[in-house]
Amino acid sequence: MDNLLQSVAAFVTEHQSWAGLILGALTFAESLVLIGAFVPATALMLLAGTLIGGGVLDPFEVLLWCTIGAVLGDAVSYALGRRLGPRVLRIPAFRDHRRTIARTRLFNRRFGVASIFIGRFFGPLRAFVPIMAGILQMKSWTFQTANFLSAIVWIASLLAPGYLAARSLSGVSLELGLAISAGVALTVLGVVVAWRFAASRRSVAAAKAKAASAQVESGVQVVELKPKRA
């Protein structure tokens, strides 16, 4: 794996015009279910951030291709889970990942749409969250919106450390670097908290509606059971 990482890093450094496309393809592979565990795209993104900070790579090209790759990778995994449903987990390749799959199911049920954002930053779960969202029949537009927004934040957060390290050596203050990093972190946190708050309010509203419906049905039953006077 280290040899592969060094080879790809050397190729990207020497062939800058192909860097965005190559990194995008690797990001796509890392976002695919099962396959992502064997692709060192995260380490390469840190290197890419350093090269961007040093002026070697075009930041917009790298960000664009990597975001496209991340979005498409999760979209393919989601489509697979939505189309095949629970039976996709019967594929032999999933047998060694039963514990991770069980954790992912609980994770998706607990956090809902926010799991798409949070899952991007957890290696063991990242490759399984989209396919589980499909299996659980999350609405397509809801998933794709979270998929796109989380991909941008995830790619930016991977590029930021290397970029800031390179720029700090070029005279950019450490305080500015920390401020940018804090801004990215607060953005992620704000999105997750907002989604969790919205989900909590929906759950409370649904519980109240269910309780009210139960009370109405109970009242109707009492009226129906009340004996008529002669």
Side-chain angles (χ1 to χ4, degrees), residues 91-110:
I91 297 175
F94 285 96
R95 291 176 182 174
D96 296 333
H97 303 275
R98 291 178 180 176
R99 180 173 297 180
T100 302
I101 292 171
R103 290 174 57 196
T104 306
R105 182 184 289 109
L106 293 174
F107 181 74
N108 278 60
R109 289 187 180 279
R110 179 177 181 183

Side-chain angles (χ1 to χ4, degrees), residues 63 66-67 70-71 117 120-121 146-158 184:
L63 182 62
C66 290
T67 300
V71 170
F117 275 87
R120 290 277 191 190
F121 297 88
N147 180 23
F148 176 72
L149 295 177
S150 65
I152 296 176
V153 175
W154 180 54
I155 296 300
S157 67
L158 291 180
V184 173

Side-chain angles (χ1 to χ4, degrees), residues 150-225:
S150 65
I152 296 176
V153 175
W154 180 54
I155 296 300
S157 67
L158 291 180
L159 294 173
Y163 173 80
L164 295 174
R167 296 302 293 172
S168 65
L169 296 177
S170 302
V172 177
S173 66
L174 178 61
E175 290 76 9
L176 176 59
L178 292 175
I180 296 175
S181 299
V184 173
L186 289 175
T187 300
V188 175
L189 180 62
V191 171
V192 172
V193 170
W195 239 306
R196 285 294 297 153
F197 179 73
S200 177
R201 293 197 63 178
R202 287 195 298 269
S203 298
V204 172
K208 289 182 178 179
K210 185 177 181 180
S213 177
Q215 289 179 354
V216 171
E217 292 178 358
S218 177
V220 170
Q221 292 176 358
V222 170
V223 171
E224 292 178 346
L225 293 175

Side-chain angles (χ1 to χ4, degrees), residues 11 15 39 44 54 58 98 105 111 113 117 167 182 214:
F11 185 87
H15 302 81
V39 181
L44 286 172
D58 182 0
R98 291 178 180 176
R105 182 184 289 109
F111 293 100
V113 180
F117 275 87
R167 296 302 293 172

